[in-house]
Amino acid sequence: MSGIPEESGSGTDDVPAAPRLPAFITQRHPGGPLPAELRTCEGADARDYRAAFHAGALPMALVTPGGTVIAANTALGTLLGADPAQLPGAEAAQLVDLATDARTWNAYREVLDRRRTRFRCTRRLKHRDGHALWVEVSVAPVADSENVLLSVADISDWRELQARLRHLQMHDPVTRLPNRALFFERLSAALETSTYERGGTGRIGLCYLDLDGFKAVNDTLGHRVGDRLLAAVATRLTRCADQSGYGPGGGHLVARLGGDEFALLVEDSTGTEQLTELAQTVLTALQQPFDLAGQRLSVSASIGVLERSAAGTTATGLMQAADTTLYWAKADGKGRWTLFDPERNAHRMTRQALSSTLRPALERGEFVLEYQPLVDLEGGLVRGVEALVRWRHPQFGTLAPNRFIGIAEEDGSIVHLGRWVLRTACEQARRWQLQHPQAEPLFVSVNVAVRQVWDSDLVADVADILEETGLAPGLLQLELTESAVMGSAGRPLQALQALSDMGVHIAIDDFGTGYSNLAYLSRLPVSVLKLDGSFVRGFQDEAHPNPADETIVEALVQLAHRLGLTVTAECVETAGQAARLRRIGCDTGQGWLYSRPVSPDRISVMLGERSG
């Protein structure tokens, strides 16, 4: 009988007192002479105890302080596949594998030396006929004796049941793949230092995939067909891993994490190329139709792929990155794999940080307005200014609108931010008017998001702000993008019409980049077109001008004028561009040629110089 080093650890239980057993059990051979301490006992009692010891169902042996077996009962011989009469004289530690690891051996010796009251451990032994069995070994001192009692309980059935229950607990019943619990257990183990300091690459890779359109299969064909599809997908994923050399035993795992989400974990990966090749293999395999009980189905998948050093990586961090990358794959068009991009992720994290602090920033007064002049191209005078919001973020510095306006539109905070911008701009325009009564009043142009029209009473807000600030409606211009204005109907169109009736000017911003439905302009309450900067940038090559650019802009300007609209050109950066726009008939210009966006004080200086 030999012991097999086992996976489970050893355990110990201390008890208040050692068991009191008859001293006759300490004799070396059953039926031999009794020790001196038993001679005072009645013979019938001794025989009864001896018979009970040898007939007991629990395998037992009496062991000397040196670890040698004195006596063994029949049950122990049966368990070990040996003649119990041959066991006395053998080393107990060798019989039940107590010497293969230091912790177990030291605990066992402490009981023999009376420095411990009891020791218990679980061992995996190999029977002489070849089969393995699990046993629980207990060792305890015998009262009134220097010897110890060793007992061995066969727990193989219990261990088998435990293994079966664990398998059920750790595997998905539909696909029979490892489930989320086993996946994370395996992932955490792979990230431990001990696993990648034994000659591996020290890297780990993951393909995190989601079936595209799986919900439609469940909804239209039922969950039974959906489950069959999941099982078929699991089979193909496992085959892909096996064919790529990532099968069982290779330090890799294919798991179903829930729903239609699967993961292929690659331990000791060799680089991103290995993971992207696996992802492409999976996509190719899943693109082949599935024949399921008369149903022929075609599916695709989106896969997030990442590969990195295991050192310093946590399971939570890895899965967050995988989830983000899977989202990118879906956002990029589905049916593809996308590789994790640290720079893209940093942008996402920054966006998330901005989103979480945008609303409180408004309350803390972190937003300011700058103003860019709108200049009459013919006379060169400043006619108005466009209010441009800036976020003075305590962590990221001053942010331009393109960094946070989209976030504000998504979470609805654009309504509160837009109301603040409108009020602040009108207050400032009125303040300039009062400070420079001799100068012609400047109109102020404020950008309005389409969500402000839908989610707020914009007409009432504008009316209230104009009344509170004392600014004339004709000195306020509201800018909406072409895509927001074109096709307007219902509430948006009614709001624009009410604002126009109030005397507020409506401008279409970035004209030429959206629908460009010129005929629709006649039905909108619009008074100004702002040409997108791409048209003006086409004028930059003054030595070799493109006649087509000038023809298009000229046609737009003439059409706008015939409709009674004025035209503002954005992004005017050179005198040559201004001259060509002036020749075409454009009304006003805006751009760095005249001024960058500046503080209200700088605009006030401009007004003072003009009135002086």
Side-chain angles (χ1 to χ4, degrees):
M1 184 73 181
S2 61
I4 299 176
E6 42 119 356
E7 300 173 358
S8 66
S10 59
T12 62
D13 287 324
D14 293 336
V15 296
R20 180 179 295 276
L21 298 178
F24 84 92
I25 297 179
T26 62
Q27 60 190 40
R28 183 171 295 275
H29 301 287
L34 296 177
E37 62 263 35
L38 189 61
R39 293 170 187 166
T40 57
C41 298
E42 296 181 6
D45 292 339
R47 286 192 297 272
D48 289 343
Y49 283 123
R50 184 184 298 116
F53 172 75
H54 289 288
L58 179 65
M60 293 181 290
L62 200 65
V63 181
T64 68
T68 303
V69 175
I70 298 174
N73 67 357
T74 302
L76 182 63
T78 302
L79 179 70
L80 301 180
D83 182 356
Q86 302 297 320
L87 296 179
E91 291 293 326
Q94 295 298 323
L95 293 177
V96 290
D97 189 32
L98 299 181
T100 53
D101 67 84
R103 182 181 176 187
T104 301
W105 172 252
N106 291 334
Y108 169 61
R109 292 304 310 175
E110 287 176 358
V111 177
L112 294 180
D113 297 339
R114 290 299 197 274
R115 291 182 289 115
R116 194 187 195 113
T117 57
R118 171 168 290 186
F119 163 67
R120 181 184 299 165
C121 69
T122 301
R123 312 304 282 172
R124 184 170 181 263
L125 307 179
K126 187 176 182 180
H127 195 276
R128 288 183 177 177
D129 66 6
H131 77 274
L133 67 154
W134 286 94
V135 298
E136 184 178 79
V137 180
S138 297
V139 184
V142 177
D144 302 327
S145 172
E146 62 181 3
N147 302 314
V148 300
L149 182 68
L150 180 146
S151 59
V152 185
D154 186 352
I155 60 170
S156 299
D157 291 343
W158 179 81
R159 290 287 298 208
E160 181 181 356
L161 176 60
Q162 186 181 49
R164 291 176 61 188
L165 291 176
R166 173 175 168 77
H167 186 275
L168 291 174
Q169 181 186 13
M170 294 295 185
H171 286 76
D172 170 51
V174 174
T175 63
R176 301 184 184 276
L177 290 177
N179 60 14
R180 176 179 290 270
L182 182 54
F183 171 80
F184 275 98
E185 181 180 289
R186 178 75 170 269
L187 175 59
S188 298
L191 294 175
E192 291 180 359
T193 304
S194 58
T195 62
Y196 58 79
E197 285 187 347
R198 295 197 296 247
T201 64
R203 302 188 66 82
I204 192 164
L206 180 65
C207 290
Y208 184 31
L209 68 95
D210 178 277
L211 299 182
D212 300 326
F214 177 74
K215 184 177 183 300
V217 175
N218 268 344
D219 293 344
T220 57
L221 302 178
H223 288 275
R224 177 174 295 183
V225 175
D227 287 348
R228 289 177 178 173
L229 176 59
L230 291 174
V233 168
T235 300
R236 291 193 185 180
L237 293 179
T238 303
R239 187 182 305 127
C240 288
D242 292 343
Q243 293 175 350
S244 301
Y246 310 139
H252 307 357
L253 185 73
V254 180
R256 180 191 178 197
L257 302 188
D260 58 340
E261 296 180 359
F262 295 84
L264 287 82
L265 179 67
V266 179
E267 299 176 38
D268 288 326
S269 58
T270 58
T272 56
E273 184 177 353
Q274 181 188 27
L275 269 297
T276 55
E277 287 179 356
L278 176 60
Q280 186 58 53
T281 300
V282 168
L283 284 181
T284 302
L286 295 182
Q287 286 170 356
Q288 302 301 315
F290 291 85
D291 292 315
L292 305 173
Q295 296 286 346
R296 188 173 177 84
L297 301 176
S298 296
V299 298
S300 63
S302 301
I303 308 178
V305 181
L306 67 157
E307 197 274 348
R308 60 178 56 175
S309 171
T313 298
T314 65
T316 301
L318 189 74
M319 291 309 298
Q320 285 177 343
D323 188 64
T324 298
T325 312
L326 175 59
Y327 171 81
W328 293 342
K330 286 187 170 295
D332 292 343
K334 300 183 179 180
R336 66 186 64 206
W337 58 263
T338 299
L339 187 64
F340 179 76
D341 182 355
E343 184 176 344
R344 186 175 181 180
N345 186 59
H347 177 75
R348 181 189 69 87
M349 295 298 290
T350 301
R351 182 180 177 85
Q352 183 176 353
L354 294 178
S355 178
S356 64
T357 58
L358 198 152
R359 289 179 183 269
L362 187 58
E363 299 174 1
R364 292 193 296 263
E366 294 178 3
F367 291 96
V368 296
L369 293 185
E370 292 183 343
Y371 301 87
Q372 188 170 32
L374 296 161
V375 179
D376 178 37
L377 287 174
E378 189 64 37
L381 294 178
V382 177
R383 297 299 184 187
V385 292
E386 180 180 355
L388 300 170
V389 63
R390 304 285 188 260
W391 184 358
R392 292 179 177 171
H393 196 282
Q395 179 181 356
F396 302 114
T398 301
L399 303 178
N402 63 336
R403 294 289 303 277
F404 57 87
I405 290 298
I407 300 173
E409 289 177 337
E410 290 176 6
D411 66 11
S413 59
I414 188 64
V415 174
H416 302 287
L417 179 59
R419 187 179 293 119
W420 177 86
V421 171
L422 182 62
R423 182 182 302 277
T424 304
C426 289
E427 289 175 346
Q428 184 59 63
R430 179 57 175 162
R431 190 175 300 117
W432 285 325
Q433 189 178 8
L434 295 175
Q435 290 173 347
H436 306 279
Q438 303 303 320
E440 182 180 349
L442 297 180
F443 72 85
V444 62
S445 189
V446 179
N447 290 278
V448 176
V450 66
R451 188 161 182 174
Q452 289 179 256
V453 183
W454 279 105
D455 296 356
S456 69
D457 194 346
L458 180 62
V459 177
D461 287 343
V462 170
D464 291 343
I465 290 172
L466 291 177
E467 182 179 359
E468 292 172 10
T469 60
L471 186 69
L475 295 179
L476 175 62
Q477 176 175 287
L478 299 181
E479 296 186 18
L480 290 89
T481 61
E482 178 184 344
S483 58
V485 175
M486 292 301 180
S488 294
R491 182 173 180 177
L493 181 57
Q494 294 172 6
L496 295 179
Q497 188 62 59
L499 291 167
S500 180
D501 293 342
M502 191 186 302
V504 175
H505 297 287
I506 306 298
I508 299 180
D509 194 16
D510 301 328
F511 186 79
T513 61
Y515 297 98
S516 298
N517 189 340
L518 301 178
Y520 201 70
L521 289 176
S522 62
R523 298 192 294 271
L524 288 173
V526 175
S527 55
V528 179
L529 293 185
K530 296 189 71 176
L531 295 182
D532 185 70
S534 59
F535 291 106
V536 180
R537 280 190 287 269
F539 292 176
Q540 285 182 346
D541 190 355
E542 299 174 11
H544 302 88
N546 186 343
D549 290 335
E550 189 166 326
T551 300
I552 293 173
V553 174
E554 185 176 5
L556 291 175
V557 170
Q558 290 177 358
L559 177 60
H561 286 170
R562 289 181 180 180
L563 293 173
L565 309 178
T566 61
V567 180
T568 298
E570 299 179 299
C571 300
V572 181
E573 298 180 355
T574 68
Q577 290 173 328
R580 293 175 67 184
L581 289 167
R582 186 165 51 249
R583 184 171 62 252
I584 288 172
C586 194
D587 301 290
T588 56
Q590 177 182 358
W592 288 2
L593 173 64
Y594 308 109
S595 174
R596 293 173 180 266
V598 295
S599 67
D601 293 340
R602 180 57 188 153
I603 298 295
S604 185
V605 170
M606 292 181 184
L607 287 172
E609 293 173 350
R610 189 172 71 178
S611 61

